[in-house]
Amino acid sequence: MKSSFDLKNLVRPNVLKMKPYSSARDEYKTDGRKMTFLDANENPFDNGVNRYPDPQQGKVKHVLASQKGVSEAQILLGNGSDEVLDLIFRAFCQPQVDNVITLPPTYGMYKVLAGLNEVEDREVVLKTDFQPDVDSILQKVDERTKIIFLCSPNNPTGNSFSEASIEKILKSFNGLVVIDEAYIDFSAERSWLERLHEFPNLVITQTLSKAFGQAGIRLGICYASEEIVDILNKIKPPYNVNELSQQKALTQLKNSEVVKEEVQLILKERELLRTNLSKMAFVKEIFPSDANFLLVRVEDADKKYKQLVEAGVVVRNRSNQELCENTLRFTVGTPDENKELIEVLKRLKA
Ligand SMILES: *Cc1c(COP(=O)(O)O)cnc(C)c1O
């Protein structure tokens, strides 16, 4: 392992050397005057979206920065977290040379992106309590390990990783530690954003797809040091967040009271669902959840899954993931949807 954190050693050499594409909207920065833009070959007739969007999404970042207590230069936005995660792979992992560490059972995209980018994925299965096996993780690290992906709260298990485990990984590993906080707004734990300034190797991803109710606009967020964000900015497609998504994101971010109310309702419904499920004979275990879903161990998950689909309810069968034999993942729906799920489950014959 390298003796200390040095970002230059982590970045792919070609990325370090390259010059980013300079778009028309990058080259000329508006200074508040009314200007005539004849620089980007757009159609000049106004219809709301005839102009290219702001490549740096300044308005959205401005709101996020003030809400989260970070600077705009510490934020990178992408077309969903999936793009953000892909940018992280492509900036730091040299195909066929570097490796990353992931902790199954977890979000499937890390492995897909590793495969796409020809980067070895070293898997270290979670312990049976779904916490990271820190010693085994650190043992897997070698001089080509660039990134450790931690998903907390974790999908599909629903739990948060302990602060002590994450802190130990952050302090012992000189590559990047990406904490995927897609479900943080449902969690009782605090976000690692509060401690971003303590760790130069920390990268946090969040999204508007879950608690914020904006899965359709595809807006993923990355918080990291300015140096890391600079590198990701260099390789991102210039106009990666479209104008409609930027406008909708702004509206929703300013709607934080509604989002908070919805989150509270979802959490209440989650616990109601837990209570109702716990009374069913075929339910063997309901795992603790810090997210908007429950992972549930049942008798014959494959059969239950099919029966649910036949009755018109689609859940996720997670049975073929490590430690998840015979589990179904139920997303918490509206009160009516949750009632429907429970009614259908009650009617199923074992
Ligand atoms: C749903 C989810 C995301 C969201 O990805 P987007 O591309 O932002 O929609 C990210 N990480 C995890 C673990 C998720 O479950």
Side-chain angles (χ1 to χ4, degrees):
M1 207 196 290
K2 292 178 292 289
S3 56
S4 68
F5 179 76
D6 181 356
L7 195 60
K8 282 213 175 59
N9 283 334
L10 289 178
V11 185
R12 280 169 67 188
N14 62 314
V15 171
L16 207 55
K17 267 191 296 190
M18 69 176 259
K19 269 178 100 97
Y21 172 74
S22 181
S23 70
R25 284 301 114 82
D26 272 327
E27 268 175 23
Y28 179 76
K29 307 260 184 274
T30 36
D31 57 6
R33 275 184 302 157
K34 186 180 171 331
M35 303 300 286
T36 301
F37 288 107
L38 302 174
D39 57 349
N41 299 348
E42 298 146 328
N43 180 323
F45 301 107
D46 188 10
N47 60 18
V49 288
N50 59 312
R51 297 292 178 185
Y52 278 104
D54 175 3
Q56 279 302 322
Q57 308 99 14
K59 288 181 183 151
V60 180
K61 284 185 186 170
H62 184 75
V63 174
L64 278 173
S66 72
Q67 287 183 353
K68 303 287 183 172
V70 297
S71 75
E72 290 175 39
Q74 290 175 295
I75 306 175
L76 176 110
L77 301 181
N79 184 24
S81 335
D82 291 343
E83 183 184 40
V84 169
L85 293 167
D86 185 48
L87 289 172
I88 295 170
F89 264 99
R90 287 195 284 156
F92 296 99
C93 298
Q94 209 171 325
Q96 300 181 344
V97 174
D98 291 332
N99 66 75
V100 300
I101 295 177
T102 64
L103 317 183
T106 193
Y107 186 47
M109 275 310 282
Y110 316 134
K111 192 171 194 59
V112 170
L113 291 170
L116 173 64
N117 289 293
E118 279 195 281
V119 171
E120 183 195 348
D121 178 18
R122 299 188 169 178
E123 298 189 323
V124 182
V125 180
L126 294 174
K127 296 188 293 186
T128 51
D129 62 358
F130 296 149
Q131 288 294 322
D133 182 346
V134 178
D135 292 335
S136 302
I137 292 167
L138 296 176
Q139 273 169 23
K140 282 263 166 134
V141 171
D142 67 14
E143 71 284 355
R144 303 298 338 171
T145 306
K146 293 294 186 74
I147 311 170
I148 299 175
F149 287 93
L150 306 176
C151 184
S152 182
N154 188 39
N155 177 8
T157 59
N159 63 302
S160 299
F161 295 163
S162 79
E163 189 159 353
S165 303
I166 294 181
E167 183 159 348
K168 173 122 195 249
I169 294 168
L170 278 164
K171 287 183 169 161
S172 317
F173 176 54
N174 289 319
L176 298 180
V177 177
V178 174
I179 306 182
D180 183 339
E181 292 191 335
Y183 298 98
I184 194 66
D185 298 291
F186 300 106
S187 172
E189 306 290 320
R190 56 185 185 150
S191 165
W192 279 86
L193 213 44
E194 290 178 31
R195 301 187 64 188
L196 184 58
H197 60 281
E198 289 180 48
F199 306 102
N201 58 340
L202 174 55
V203 176
I204 297 163
T205 62
Q206 295 184 359
T207 176
L208 295 197
S209 295
K210 305 289 156 63
F212 277 82
Q214 301 288 300
I217 72 170
R218 314 301 302 124
L219 198 100
I221 309 162
C222 167
Y223 300 99
S225 70
E226 281 185 35
E227 292 73 21
I228 293 174
V229 168
D230 277 348
I231 290 161
L232 297 174
N233 257 324
K234 215 165 120 166
I235 67 163
K236 83 173 184 67
Y239 304 112
N240 62 328
V241 180
N242 73 68
E243 178 64 27
L244 299 175
S245 293
Q246 291 190 41
Q247 288 175 11
K248 191 81 180 142
L250 259 185
T251 313
Q252 193 70 350
L253 286 170
K254 290 176 177 167
N255 228 353
S256 57
E257 283 312 309
V258 174
V259 172
K260 257 190 221 148
E261 282 166 25
E262 288 175 354
V263 166
Q264 286 315 310
L265 180 58
I266 289 167
L267 294 182
K268 209 174 108 210
E269 284 290 313
R270 183 187 73 196
E271 292 319 300
L272 184 62
L273 201 54
R274 178 190 300 283
T275 306
N276 286 322
L277 287 167
S278 66
K279 293 173 190 155
M280 296 183 179
F282 63 82
V283 169
K284 297 300 162 205
E285 189 167 9
I286 309 169
F287 294 96
S289 175
D290 244 344
N292 63 334
F293 57 83
L294 288 173
L295 186 72
V296 183
R297 179 159 283 138
V298 298
E299 253 164 42
D300 202 347
D302 292 349
K303 186 172 165 197
K304 292 284 175 309
Y305 174 81
K306 281 190 203 124
Q307 290 174 316
L308 280 167
V309 170
E310 273 161 32
V313 179
V314 185
V315 301
R316 204 87 202 266
N317 187 353
R318 296 285 75 185
S319 298
N320 48 23
Q321 295 210 349
E322 287 94 334
L323 307 177
C324 294
E325 304 76 32
N326 275 316
T327 59
L328 299 176
R329 192 192 67 194
F330 300 122
T331 304
V332 180
T334 62
D336 283 346
E337 289 171 335
N338 304 329
K339 261 181 224 139
E340 183 190 355
L341 171 66
I342 292 297
E343 288 312 311
V344 169
L345 285 173
K346 277 183 184 164
R347 286 201 303 270
L348 293 187
K349 290 185 208 75

